Amino acid sequence: MSHTPRTTQAPRTANAQHRRAVAFRELHENPRPFVVPNPWDAGSARLLAGLGFTALATTGAGLAHSSGRPDGTLTRADILTNAREIVAATDLPVTADLESGFGDKPEDVAETVRLAAAAGLVGGSIEDSTGRAEDPVRPLGEAVERVAAAVEAARGLDFPFTVTARAENFFVGRPDLDDTILRLRAYEEAGADVLYAPALPDAESVRAVCAAVSRPVNVLMGGALPLSVADLGDLGVRRVSTGSALSRAALGALVRAAREIAEHGTFGFGADALPYAEANTLLAAPAPTAASPNLADDRESDLAP
């Protein structure tokens, strides 16, 4: 298979999208987990593709921060415009953070899935959060209806769009493992292809979630949880994402460098910067395909912090 140079956007045909969708599904069938990192723009997507990852996921928080806004302030148009740019940047499968589906009704969630597919995405996640601090998680019945609407819309497409259902309890400050498992089981019953409970606090909660469901489980890494890709595989995890951790790592480097200049008048941060020539080389190299070796296949490669 020939590669399109990174300086030229690859054609986005229906057949190409179908191939990427199938490749993404197949990654979830491997006995060991794969890492799907979260770029926030075309440049970070190309860098990650050049480093050998086999799929990408967008990050709503990373995009919001790069746009000068806090998380939770993006529109559906913001999310999908960014997704199109990331899809066009490489030939890898891309799944998206579709937040809570951008609408109050299940039909709104279904329309978001259809628009996501039209943007070139091969998957997307739907949260059960409300965005309201006083009532952060939707009632279970309502949440299930929304997942079912997303699944129905996905099944109406001409390629296998992967629906990920997210149970947000731990992420919004409600550390209720029993309710989280109850929700994930209900979302599995509603047809979700992948199940996801961000911010699980420890290995035992990860193990409990994986044991409670039969569909692949995605786990968010990049925080304080000291687990490697191999550790997560032993717990039953099939997919690992980084959320906004990579974008916040980049912001952290920027803030540290700026503080060094402002507070000390020095420029030592340059020693840790990606060399100019290497940046150009990484962004100019041919894009990998979904058949590229998975970094998680290297037992010595620990992609989690």
Side-chain angles (χ1 to χ4, degrees):
M1 177 178 177
S2 62
H3 294 295
T4 302
R6 286 180 178 247
T7 52
T8 303
Q9 289 188 355
R12 297 294 157 184
T13 65
N15 286 340
Q17 187 174 19
H18 189 278
R19 287 195 299 271
R20 290 193 298 276
V22 171
F24 189 55
R25 281 291 179 91
E26 290 175 348
L27 288 171
H28 295 82
E29 298 170 3
N30 292 332
R32 297 185 56 210
F34 71 101
V35 178
V36 54
N38 300 71
W40 56 97
D41 60 11
S44 56
R46 289 187 179 187
L47 288 173
L48 291 168
L51 292 170
F53 290 94
T54 51
L56 302 172
T58 70
T59 163
L63 172 60
H65 296 161
S66 70
S67 304
R69 290 179 277 177
D71 190 21
T73 61
L74 298 174
T75 66
R76 182 166 63 184
D78 293 330
I79 291 284
L80 295 181
T81 296
N82 174 252
R84 287 188 190 94
E85 294 171 354
I86 289 174
V87 167
T90 81
D91 63 358
L92 297 183
V94 182
T95 184
D97 175 2
L98 298 177
E99 302 199 353
S100 62
F102 298 101
D104 293 329
K105 301 176 182 179
E107 306 92 88
D108 299 324
V109 178
E111 179 65 7
T112 294
V113 168
R114 287 189 287 268
L115 291 172
L121 294 162
V122 299
S125 61
I126 300 295
E127 305 170 1
D128 59 10
S129 60
T130 65
R132 300 187 297 269
E134 71 280 4
D135 185 25
V137 178
R138 297 180 188 276
L140 179 58
E142 178 184 336
V144 169
E145 288 179 359
R146 296 165 69 83
V147 172
V151 170
E152 183 178 4
R155 300 300 180 263
L157 300 170
D158 59 0
F159 66 91
F161 186 98
T162 297
V163 174
T164 298
R166 291 177 46 151
E168 298 294 290
N169 276 332
F170 283 91
F171 195 71
V172 299
R174 290 178 48 174
D176 188 334
L177 183 60
D178 289 341
D179 186 64
T180 295
I181 289 174
L182 177 68
R183 286 171 175 273
L184 293 176
R185 283 175 168 165
Y187 303 158
E188 178 177 14
E189 183 68 22
D193 303 298
V194 178
L195 303 166
Y196 181 13
L200 293 173
D202 51 41
E204 286 311 307
S205 62
V206 172
R207 188 193 306 276
V209 164
C210 293
V213 297
S214 60
R215 299 283 170 86
V217 171
N218 181 96
V219 167
L220 175 68
M221 294 300 295
L225 194 59
L227 298 174
S228 68
V229 173
D231 293 334
L232 291 166
D234 292 341
L235 296 172
V237 175
R238 285 294 164 264
R239 190 175 85 193
V240 184
S241 58
T242 59
S244 64
L246 291 175
S247 64
R248 288 184 289 107
L251 290 176
L254 172 63
V255 169
R256 287 189 296 274
R259 283 177 175 162
E260 180 189 352
I261 297 169
E263 297 172 7
H264 304 286
T266 59
F267 303 90
F269 69 87
D272 295 323
L274 186 66
Y276 175 83
E278 185 178 352
N280 279 341
T281 298
L282 284 171
L283 291 171
T289 69
S292 300
N294 185 0
L295 284 180
D297 288 339
D298 180 358
R299 183 60 77 161
E300 298 180 357
S301 294
D302 179 6
L303 303 181

